[in-house]
Each structure stands twice: as structure tokens, then as C-alpha cells.
Amino acid sequence: QVHLVESGGGLVQAGGSLRLSCTASGNLQRANNLGWYRQAPGQQRELVAVVTSRGRATVADSVKDRFTVSRNNNMKTVELQMNNLKPEDTAVYYCNLRFERAEKIWWGQGTQVTVSS
């Protein structure tokens, strides 16, 4: 029903920047939340940032001073701008889509972000 396509991961030195992008397609409900989670080895998956279809953005406290999030392309794309990256940001980053009025969640396949010190 829904397809998520991710891009932008890679290897970067500490202090560098990356921009992640995720585009949703298919049968999308108008009321939805689109954002990014991340999971480091041996750790639980955690929320990084999310934007509602109404434009309200939330960024995790651990990264809010360095990351910004926005939705574009008629609200079908979420972009995560990551600045001043640190080694502890190293993780697999997963795009996430949740319908507000249905019991359904979709995940992207994940994109690796590696920050070297």
C-alpha cells in the first residue's frame, strides 16, 4: 500500500554534515506523521525527528541543537539535515510513516550513517 524510499546516508568525519531524505508513495492518508528513527548496534531504535502532515515538527532532545527536519514535495518527503555530526550519531537511520487514523506503520529499509572521529 505504501512505499518509502530513503537516500543520503554515508560516511562523514566528526563535525561534518549529511542530509537524509525519504519520499513516501502509494495510498497515503492525509493525516500522517513522517520522520526518522535510528538504531545503533546493541541499542533500541529511537526517535530522531518527526513532522506531522500539518507541519508540526519534533526533534529529539539529544540532537535538537544540531539537527533540523522539514517536509517538502507536497508533504510526501521528509528531510533531516544533520550538522556537526558526532561519532555517537553512528547508526542505521530508518524512515517511518504512521497514519494517525489507522493502526498501521511503515518502515524504510534503513540507511547507514557512520561518523568517524
Side-chain angles (χ1 to χ4, degrees):
Q1 184 179 16
V2 170
H3 187 213
L4 301 176
V5 178
E6 305 164 328
S7 65
L11 174 65
V12 66
Q13 293 184 346
S17 299
L18 287 173
R19 180 185 288 263
L20 303 183
S21 180
C22 174
T23 297
S25 62
N27 300 120
L28 306 180
Q29 292 187 354
R30 295 182 64 183
N32 63 75
N33 302 323
L34 186 63
W36 289 93
Y37 286 69
R38 68 184 182 185
Q39 187 169 21
Q43 304 295 321
Q44 294 186 3
R45 192 169 299 184
E46 64 178 358
L47 175 68
V48 179
V50 62
V51 187
T52 72
S53 53
R54 299 174 298 278
R56 184 176 68 86
T58 300
V59 182
D61 288 342
S62 60
V63 299
K64 65 181 180 181
D65 292 338
R66 301 179 292 116
F67 294 6
T68 58
V69 66
S70 62
R71 285 180 72 161
N72 309 282
N73 188 29
N74 197 220
M75 302 300 285
K76 293 185 177 181
T77 297
V78 61
E79 294 184 342
L80 181 68
Q81 178 64 47
M82 305 184 293
N83 298 321
N84 192 24
L85 283 161
K86 302 177 179 180
E88 51 262 44
D89 296 317
T90 295
V92 178
Y93 285 68
Y94 296 91
C95 183
N96 172 264
L97 174 68
R98 181 175 70 84
F99 290 169
E100 293 183 354
R101 298 180 176 89
E103 299 294 332
K104 188 66 178 180
I105 297 175
W106 286 269
W107 295 96
Q109 67 177 8
T111 182
Q112 178 70 47
V113 171
T114 302
V115 184
S116 62
S117 60

